[in-house]
Amino acid sequence: MSAIDTLPPLRDVIETHGLSARKSLGQNFLLDLNLTAKIARQAGDLSEADVLEIGPGPGGLTRGLLAEGARRVLAIEKDARCMPALEEISAAYPGRLQVINGDALEINPLSHLTPPIHVAANLPYNVGTELLVRWLTPKEWPPYWQSLTLMFQREVAERIVAQPGSKAYGRLALLAQWRAEAKIVMSLPPGAFTPPPKVSSAVVHLTALAEPRFPADAATLSRIVAAAFNQRRKMLRAALKGQAPDIQDRLIAAGIDPTERAEQVSLEQFCALARQFKK
């Protein structure tokens, strides 16, 4: 494996700082610096952009982002054990890395970032989906980020890019494809990680659209889609009966057959249904 910088190999960093991955934090470390650099390249040209990274751990992707030319990286890490290793990276790239020890679900990164902004992360498994939904459903659009380059379990990645009629199609697909262009750009086997997870992983790249594909209120759409897929085996008129007493009429007005199941309904139709509700 060729070096991407003058810092020690990640296995040495982990041993030096005693950074065994913790299941409670959803940690699986990616140690191959060639792979982390490849993931960083999926984010595009970062030379004139700030990058938000969540859960850098010992800093493999962080080093990839900096080595690939990111103007500046803001890394938010909950595990205080990782701070010394990340501080070493900061010293090797003066003025280009800021590290915050805290919970990404509780920190507003905007005061630390200058547009244009991209997000790149090997997301901790236990918070990855929640963070993605937050990034996709801000009150105002376009969002503060231009693209998201995120690693998930392969199953989650497939749910993000799924099409109507497939088993993977659901809330994540609808929210992602409503406001972004989403595609899987890399696949990684369990053996690429330490410790190896039980499942394969994949990197998804999402590019923010200037406007949503179809008009709808984000909170309303998210609520309706969540209710519809929470009971995906039921006909929509039954799955959504708690949303409105006249749900059948609203479904028909949106061009949806009330006897269809959620997985058969397109993004355009769900947006039309959302518009049947007051904000």
Side-chain angles (χ1 to χ4, degrees):
M1 181 180 70
S2 59
I4 64 168
D5 53 35
T6 59
L7 292 162
L10 281 172
R11 289 192 184 278
D12 294 350
V13 172
I14 286 175
E15 183 177 352
T16 298
H17 297 287
L19 297 179
S20 58
R22 287 182 174 172
K23 187 176 182 179
S24 62
L25 295 175
Q27 292 175 330
N28 293 94
F29 298 149
L30 186 59
L31 302 186
D32 187 334
L33 290 172
N34 287 322
L35 277 177
T36 59
K38 185 177 181 181
I39 294 169
R41 287 193 290 273
Q42 300 300 325
D45 182 4
L46 302 175
S47 60
E48 297 183 2
D50 280 9
V51 181
L52 170 63
E53 182 187 6
I54 306 299
L61 180 56
T62 314
R63 289 165 65 174
L65 292 165
L66 292 165
E68 291 297 319
R71 178 177 68 191
R72 192 167 159 277
V73 175
L74 171 66
I76 300 177
E77 175 55 62
K78 188 174 184 179
D79 189 352
R81 300 176 306 151
C82 297
M83 291 301 108
L86 294 169
E87 288 168 4
E88 291 173 2
I89 302 172
S90 182
Y93 292 93
R96 294 177 59 201
L97 173 63
Q98 179 183 357
V99 183
I100 296 177
N101 181 201
D103 188 339
L105 296 173
E106 299 175 356
I107 293 173
N108 181 359
L110 286 182
S111 60
H112 305 278
L113 295 165
T114 302
I117 299 165
H118 297 264
V119 180
N122 173 12
L123 289 172
Y125 285 160
N126 54 356
V127 297
T129 301
E130 182 174 351
L131 283 169
L132 175 61
V133 171
R134 288 190 183 190
W135 288 324
L136 291 171
T137 56
K139 291 183 179 179
E140 297 183 359
W141 196 268
Y144 69 79
W145 51 270
Q146 292 190 344
S147 75
L148 308 172
T149 305
L150 308 172
M151 189 182 306
F152 294 98
Q153 294 178 4
R154 178 80 195 188
E155 178 185 355
V156 176
E158 290 175 347
R159 284 163 53 198
I160 294 169
V161 302
Q163 296 300 307
S166 66
K167 290 183 179 180
Y169 182 66
R171 180 176 177 233
L172 278 186
L174 285 153
L175 295 182
Q177 295 169 40
W178 177 45
R179 286 174 156 179
E181 195 73 48
K183 59 182 178 179
I184 294 176
V185 293
M186 279 181 66
S187 296
L188 295 96
F193 299 86
T194 298
K198 295 180 180 180
V199 296
S200 296
S201 299
V203 177
V204 182
H205 183 73
L206 300 100
T207 304
L209 298 173
E211 296 180 356
R213 295 186 193 277
F214 308 102
D217 174 67
T220 304
L221 179 63
S222 184
R223 185 183 78 247
I224 291 172
V225 168
F229 283 96
N230 189 46
Q231 302 183 71
R232 62 187 300 150
R233 293 185 179 181
K234 290 187 175 182
M235 291 185 289
L236 279 172
R237 66 185 179 196
L240 296 175
K241 64 181 181 180
Q243 300 298 311
D246 59 344
I247 189 61
Q248 176 153 316
D249 293 339
R250 298 190 189 205
L251 285 164
I252 293 171
I256 301 170
D257 181 344
T259 66
E260 287 187 337
R261 296 190 302 274
E263 65 188 38
Q264 299 169 298
V265 178
S266 70
L267 169 60
E268 183 176 8
Q269 289 174 311
F270 268 117
C271 289
L273 178 60
R275 294 195 299 273
Q276 298 295 319
F277 290 78
K278 294 182 178 180
K279 294 183 180 180

